Amino acid sequence: MIQKTLPLVKDSERLESRLKEIPAVPGVYLMRDESDRILYIGKSKKLRNRVRSYFRESQNLSPRIAMMVQQVREIEFIATDTEAEALALEANLVKQHQPYFNVLLKDDKKYPYLCITWSEKYPRIFITRKRRAGNAKDRYYGPYVDTGALRSTLHLIKRIFPLRQRPQPLFKDRPCLNYDIGRCVGVCQGLMSAEDYQKIIQKVAMIFQGRTQELLDILEPQMEQAAEDLNFETAARIRDQIKGLQSLSAGQKVSLPDDTVSRDAIALAADTQHACVQLFQIRAGQLVGRLGFIADVPVSPTPLLQGDGSENSSPSSQESRIGKWEFQCGVEPGAILQRVLEEHYQNVESVEIPSEISVQYDLPEGEILADWLSNRKGRKVTILTPQRQTKAELIEMVERNAEYELARMQRLGDRNSQAMQDLAEIMDLPEVPHRIEGYDISHIQGSDAVASRVVFIDGLPANQHYRHYKIKNPEIKSGHSDDFASLAEVIGRRFRDKKEEGSSATDCVTDLTDRRNKEKEFSDLGKQTEMGSFSTVSPPIVDKPDLIMIDGGKGQLSAVVEVLREMNLLDELRVVSLAKQREEIFLPGESLPLPTNSEQPGVQLLRRVRDEAHRFAVSFHRDQRSQRMKRSRLDDIPGLGHHRQKLLLAHFRSIDYLRLATPEQLAEVSGIGPRLAQQIYDYFHP
């Protein structure tokens, strides 16, 4: 039981005592509330000065930070030796704890990455939207905003360099056609050593690191040397690689007069919920990469500035731009830019760090970031906020692209909002269904029966809350299927008592729903109370969906309704079914479907949920069926490993002959003793 204490702002004696304990050294500080939850994590060159600044009456805090300070019950700190260590530690803690009042980058699978699997003997190169942290050796480049340009670049690179084309070999004893036409070096058959192949991959990596010119400088002497040695085939191959790389860089549309400095330019555009950040990578005067990031903006109950928020402020004035931006979202824009830069440069190699970084707004901890980057790069890295001439025009161009991305995200959000509103009207719901769960069954005549649950939050798939179910009903087996009983089983397992269910993360309320409740509560309280007397109330945790969608017709719906009625949940949960043939929506107790149009936004949203549940169930069913087909009956015999199975099959040629063998005949096989032979015989003759 956590002891209730007053906020530090209302307990001056305890506050002053705590502040005196904090040293004036570099480090990280953590603000906690009455429930011991971390509200905010920050870093500073001098911890005591930074933490004390939050509690000075003369300090002009934004309403968002003032709201946080009113809730602080305890302050923890971690001292570090250097400012760079404080920066790295803060980034790791923010990733781990996800504090509400910190700027959080959002991984919404919107932008793709390019992955090079250095963890493999022969690395693969592919495009993915999932950045996995499973192996530290694998390198991810991106996220890239222009997916088409990324795919065309990778396609051209595969024409320039002979690369591994398939994750698995096509043939066991010979290479495929890619080897014959020079697109691959026969990786599947080991026709090139791993060391030589990795040298090719290193050249490809240089392209995505923005070091194309450096690669050209390496290839040209190699071509000339091959020609001098009369190795004309090698010289011609390198010549073609040089031409391909030159054509790759010739497609860049941005060129700056200063081609001696490598630089990154970063800018953002934001509304009251999200910030779209664009990062342009410029090397040798040319744009070599355009990366995109999305940050969640913590909701502030009141505008940060008391101005009019006019949109006619001059874009050349940083003060005017900051005023307009903060008036909209209530967060310091430089803090978001700093968070993005810290996250990005932590995941790149030192050679990819530019000598100069142009930022749209001043960074709150720019000196710490610059020192940390300089230490990593081994050379001085400059962070500047350009105000005029070419560099300022570059920032304006980056900001303009960020505004385009924000507008596209807003259009997508408007479409989802319209669909949820239309669905609420169709079904006469009291409010829009923010969380929708969809269920489907997949099997082949009862064999390998499985179910799926997909979750849509605010009209978008929330993959982290998907779940598979294996049907446990013993009556459902090969040759006998029962979709009604399967759906009833799955719904019962989903909504049974938590004490029986256990604290499964997949069945708990989503973080987004929790955050939405918290944001709404903050907004309502902010309208009713003054900031000086603001107090937080823990938001309620709602672990049930706003709407349940069943893939099927009236029969499937009736089975689900019956199990919900038995659990006394029918009055709390809204459930519908969507039939495949005519896209008809059925409600519990109604014999006729709802009068809807299949092209209505709400119906289309249900169709997206239904199709995703079907896809997720079918993919799991195929995996289960594939595993069963690959599995041998010998796997069920205790003590019979893979090596002994191979010896038995080599001796008896098939399981049918093995089944007919006597214990004495089985014991004749090398490695099979009399005891194991009897176990094998008893297995086939129970």
Side-chain angles (χ1 to χ4, degrees):
M1 187 70 181
I2 300 175
Q3 183 179 1
K4 297 294 184 180
T5 58
L6 291 174
L8 288 177
V9 292
K10 296 183 179 180
D11 192 344
S12 58
E13 182 177 347
R14 192 165 65 91
L15 172 62
E16 190 61 31
S17 174
R18 188 58 179 147
L19 292 177
K20 289 180 179 179
E21 296 173 355
I22 301 176
V25 297
V28 174
Y29 56 93
L30 300 86
M31 306 283 198
R32 293 183 179 271
D33 65 2
E34 62 180 352
S35 301
D36 204 36
R37 292 178 298 185
I38 298 178
L39 297 172
Y40 184 78
I41 299 175
K43 61 181 175 300
S44 178
K45 294 188 291 185
K46 291 185 178 181
L47 283 172
R48 179 183 296 167
N49 296 354
R50 169 56 59 83
V51 175
R52 186 180 291 274
S53 68
Y54 287 98
F55 300 94
R56 291 197 186 105
E57 295 183 0
S58 59
Q59 188 73 14
N60 186 20
L61 300 176
S62 68
R64 183 178 67 94
I65 298 300
M67 180 197 307
M68 179 201 70
V69 171
Q70 295 291 330
Q71 304 175 52
V72 175
R73 258 68 170 182
E74 186 56 61
I75 303 172
E76 296 179 6
F77 66 89
I78 303 174
T80 59
D81 294 332
T82 64
E83 300 164 8
E85 291 179 1
L87 184 146
L89 178 59
E90 182 216 28
N92 292 333
L93 291 176
V94 169
K95 286 182 185 178
Q96 178 182 353
H97 297 287
Q98 301 281 298
Y100 178 76
F101 287 95
N102 279 89
V103 174
L104 303 177
L105 295 188
K106 181 181 179 182
D107 179 20
D108 66 341
K109 311 297 187 297
K110 179 178 178 63
Y111 303 125
Y113 294 85
L114 182 123
C115 178
I116 300 180
T117 57
W118 288 106
S119 59
E120 300 179 7
K121 185 177 179 180
Y122 291 93
R124 292 180 295 124
I125 302 177
F126 57 91
I127 296 174
T128 178
R129 293 182 184 269
K130 297 181 180 180
R131 181 169 185 162
R132 296 182 174 89
N135 200 306
K137 293 183 179 180
D138 294 343
R139 295 289 301 122
Y140 289 86
Y141 300 93
Y144 292 95
V145 177
D146 194 339
T147 307
L150 175 61
R151 295 187 184 278
S152 62
T153 298
L154 182 58
H155 178 71
L156 181 56
I157 287 174
K158 288 186 175 181
R159 296 178 66 91
I160 297 173
F161 298 97
L163 299 175
R164 175 181 176 180
Q165 301 290 331
R166 295 176 176 273
Q168 299 295 333
L170 187 61
F171 306 107
K172 293 183 179 180
D173 55 349
R174 60 186 175 88
C176 64
L177 184 62
N178 289 308
Y179 174 77
D180 297 323
I181 63 178
R183 294 286 180 85
C184 179
V185 291
V187 167
C188 59
Q189 304 302 320
L191 301 181
M192 174 179 278
S193 66
E195 293 75 14
D196 292 338
Y197 185 73
Q198 289 177 8
K199 292 179 181 178
I200 298 177
I201 299 297
Q202 287 172 355
K203 294 178 181 178
V204 176
M206 292 176 68
I207 298 174
F208 291 98
Q209 292 169 355
R211 302 163 61 195
T212 305
Q213 186 58 47
E214 184 179 340
L215 179 58
L216 290 172
D217 295 339
I218 295 174
L219 292 177
E220 288 175 355
Q222 292 180 358
M223 178 186 65
E224 295 173 357
Q225 184 63 42
E228 291 179 4
D229 297 340
L230 303 182
N231 193 351
F232 298 116
E233 291 184 359
T234 302
R237 186 176 67 252
I238 298 176
R239 178 204 61 197
D240 294 341
Q241 291 177 352
I242 292 175
K243 287 184 177 180
L245 292 172
Q246 289 173 342
S247 66
L248 186 64
S249 59
Q252 305 297 343
K253 299 180 176 59
V254 177
S255 181
L256 297 179
D258 184 5
D259 59 356
T260 61
V261 178
S262 63
R263 63 168 55 88
D264 285 353
I266 186 170
L268 58 80
D271 56 17
T272 57
Q273 294 180 331
H274 305 290
C276 288
V277 184
Q278 296 274 291
L279 178 67
F280 279 29
Q281 299 172 311
I282 300 164
R283 307 292 183 267
Q286 291 185 325
L287 175 64
V288 300
R290 182 164 72 100
L291 310 183
F293 305 87
I294 298 174
D296 279 340
V297 178
V299 171
S300 178
T302 56
L304 186 62
L305 297 183
Q306 300 303 320
D308 57 359
S310 173
E311 298 183 0
N312 298 323
S313 57
S314 173
S316 62
S317 169
Q318 177 169 302
E319 290 77 10
S320 299
R321 286 185 299 173
I322 292 178
K324 172 186 172 182
W325 199 93
E326 290 185 339
F327 184 86
Q328 290 179 332
C329 71
V331 180
E332 184 181 355
I336 291 184
L337 295 181
Q338 172 133 1
R339 179 77 180 92
V340 171
L341 291 175
E342 292 172 358
E343 176 84 9
H344 172 64
Y345 291 124
Q346 274 193 334
N347 298 311
V348 304
E349 299 178 14
S350 58
V351 72
E352 301 175 52
I353 299 175
S355 301
E356 184 180 290
I357 303 173
S358 297
V359 297
Q360 181 186 19
Y361 301 106
D362 291 332
L363 307 183
E365 301 288 350
E367 294 182 6
I368 296 180
L369 180 60
D371 292 342
W372 177 65
L373 293 176
S374 299
N375 291 335
R376 283 202 61 198
K377 186 175 179 62
R379 295 174 53 188
K380 182 176 178 57
V381 176
T382 305
I383 300 178
L384 54 89
T385 308
Q387 300 294 331
R388 60 179 66 89
Q389 296 179 346
T390 307
K391 295 179 182 179
E393 294 175 357
L394 174 63
I395 287 294
E396 291 181 3
M397 181 184 66
V398 180
E399 181 181 4
R400 192 161 57 249
N401 281 270
E403 290 173 350
Y404 294 149
E405 284 296 309
L406 178 63
R408 187 167 66 174
M409 178 182 292
Q410 289 172 337
R411 287 195 298 270
L412 178 62
D414 292 341
R415 188 188 71 175
N416 290 331
S417 298
Q418 181 183 1
M420 290 188 297
Q421 185 65 43
D422 184 57
L423 184 59
E425 294 176 0
I426 291 174
M427 301 188 56
D428 194 22
L429 298 176
E431 59 181 13
V432 295
H434 290 284
R435 177 183 172 114
I436 303 175
E437 293 186 1
Y439 294 85
D440 191 19
I441 305 294
S442 181
H443 58 84
I444 294 180
Q445 295 182 350
S447 65
D448 304 304
V450 298
S452 68
R453 181 188 80 192
V454 300
V455 179
F456 275 53
I457 297 178
D458 292 336
L460 296 175
N463 306 59
Q464 68 272 27
H465 303 292
Y466 286 15
R467 182 170 174 180
H468 288 132
Y469 296 88
K470 293 181 182 179
I471 301 303
K472 300 179 180 179
N473 191 334
E475 296 182 359
I476 299 176
K477 54 189 176 181
S478 181
H480 183 272
S481 62
D482 191 339
D483 287 359
F484 302 162
S486 298
L487 282 170
E489 174 190 332
V490 171
I491 294 297
R493 288 163 61 183
R494 165 64 177 93
F495 295 104
R496 66 189 176 191
D497 189 357
K498 285 185 177 180
K499 294 181 181 179
E500 301 175 6
E501 176 95 3
S503 56
S504 173
T506 55
D507 285 349
C508 294
V509 65
T510 66
D511 294 338
L512 292 177
T513 305
D514 189 16
R515 174 168 293 183
R516 186 184 72 243
N517 294 334
K518 185 184 292 184
E519 290 173 354
K520 183 177 185 299
E521 183 181 37
F522 283 163
S523 179
D524 294 342
L525 290 175
K527 295 175 183 177
Q528 299 171 5
T529 63
E530 296 293 330
M531 291 303 301
S533 59
F534 183 88
S535 62
T536 181
V537 179
S538 299
I541 297 179
V542 182
D543 60 352
K544 58 179 180 293
D546 300 313
L547 180 65
I548 300 173
M549 194 282 308
I550 303 299
D551 184 5
K554 291 186 292 184
Q556 287 85 347
L557 180 62
S558 299
V560 171
V561 167
E562 182 63 27
V563 71
L564 290 177
R565 182 179 289 111
E566 293 175 358
M567 300 170 66
N568 296 322
L569 292 176
L570 189 58
D571 294 335
E572 299 182 28
L573 298 173
R574 296 300 301 269
V575 57
V576 299
S577 67
L578 182 63
K580 287 186 176 68
Q581 292 183 349
R582 299 180 181 179
E583 309 295 352
E584 295 175 329
I585 300 176
F586 289 93
L587 294 178
E590 300 290 338
S591 58
L592 297 177
L594 291 176
T596 59
N597 184 346
S598 61
E599 300 304 319
Q600 282 184 254
V603 179
Q604 290 182 345
L605 175 58
L606 278 185
R607 286 164 57 184
R608 291 200 298 271
V609 177
R610 189 269 315 277
D611 294 343
E612 180 68 357
H614 180 72
R615 180 200 64 80
F616 199 52
V618 169
S619 64
F620 185 50
H621 166 73
R622 288 173 178 168
D623 291 341
Q624 295 297 307
R625 186 180 64 196
S626 177
Q627 292 178 12
R628 176 177 56 82
M629 295 177 68
K630 291 179 181 178
R631 197 166 178 269
S632 171
R633 291 188 63 188
L634 300 179
D635 291 335
D636 296 331
I637 302 176
L640 191 61
H642 180 67
H643 177 66
R644 289 176 174 175
Q645 290 180 28
K646 290 175 63 178
L647 294 175
L648 284 170
L649 292 175
H651 183 84
F652 291 100
R653 300 299 179 184
S654 74
I655 293 183
D656 292 332
Y657 287 124
L658 191 152
R659 185 189 298 111
L660 299 175
T662 64
E664 292 76 15
Q665 292 173 327
L666 291 170
E668 294 176 359
V669 179
S670 175
I672 305 296
R675 182 177 179 181
L676 182 57
Q678 187 64 44
Q679 289 182 355
I680 297 172
Y681 182 83
D682 293 341
Y683 174 79
F684 287 109
H685 303 82

